[in-house]
Amino acid sequence: MWLLSLLAAFSLPSPPAASRRQLLSRAAASLPAPAALAFAAEAPSSVRVKGAAEMDLEFYARGLLGSGGAPRSAPPPPPLAARQLDAALAKRLLDAAAAGIAPSVSAPSAATLRQAAGARRQALAIEYDRALFAGAFSAA
């Protein structure tokens, strides 16, 4: 039943000045309550915003009148100071990363993962030092 009323709302002859908002409100009025709530959201405020053509026209008109180009914009705010990580937060972040990585590499726990990584690091220490000092692509 509501489908027929919805189709009737869209097939009504509308005057040329009818807007999309009027059409949607007519359609929402014919829908059942839950579906009508989806259309009942407030439309964005109709604040007048300049389009690209208007901005171009204003720029060229200023140039022809000799008042300069575009108005000066305000300088950007100064950057925020870098935040320092304290040792407790850094430890919690590393523990969380290890706990997240452990299941993906079939390690039973984060502690086991740390032990395996430490052993692997010691086994690769010579190759790491060679790449660090001689370059990764040197003829060793």
Side-chain angles (χ1 to χ4, degrees), residues 12-84:
L12 288 176
S14 59
S19 67
R20 191 176 347 171
R21 183 179 293 167
Q22 290 171 340
L23 183 64
L24 286 176
S25 67
R26 234 186 294 148
S30 65
L31 293 176
L37 289 176
F39 288 108
E42 282 290 320
S45 63
S46 58
V47 176
R48 179 80 171 106
V49 179
K50 287 183 182 178
E54 293 169 323
M55 293 174 75
D56 286 346
L57 179 66
E58 180 182 344
F59 178 78
Y60 291 123
R62 285 176 188 256
L64 287 174
L65 297 175
S67 63
R72 299 253 182 224
S73 61
L80 299 174
R83 293 182 287 171
Q84 299 296 322

Side-chain angles (χ1 to χ4, degrees), residues 1-139:
M1 178 68 182
W2 67 270
L3 182 61
L4 292 175
S5 62
L6 177 65
L7 290 174
F10 282 100
S11 65
L12 288 176
S14 59
S19 67
R20 191 176 347 171
R21 183 179 293 167
Q22 290 171 340
L23 183 64
L24 286 176
S25 67
R26 234 186 294 148
S30 65
L31 293 176
L37 289 176
F39 288 108
E42 282 290 320
S45 63
S46 58
V47 176
R48 179 80 171 106
V49 179
K50 287 183 182 178
E54 293 169 323
M55 293 174 75
D56 286 346
L57 179 66
E58 180 182 344
F59 178 78
Y60 291 123
R62 285 176 188 256
L64 287 174
L65 297 175
S67 63
R72 299 253 182 224
S73 61
L80 299 174
R83 293 182 287 171
Q84 299 296 322
L85 292 178
D86 60 339
L89 178 62
K91 182 174 179 354
R92 285 194 317 229
L93 290 173
L94 290 174
D95 288 343
I101 292 171
S104 67
V105 292
S106 302
S109 69
T112 308
L113 178 66
R114 283 194 185 94
Q115 289 174 352
R120 180 87 172 150
R121 192 177 311 118
Q122 287 176 354
L124 295 175
I126 294 173
E127 287 82 3
Y128 176 75
D129 289 339
R130 184 177 353 153
L132 183 64
F133 294 119
F137 301 106
S138 67

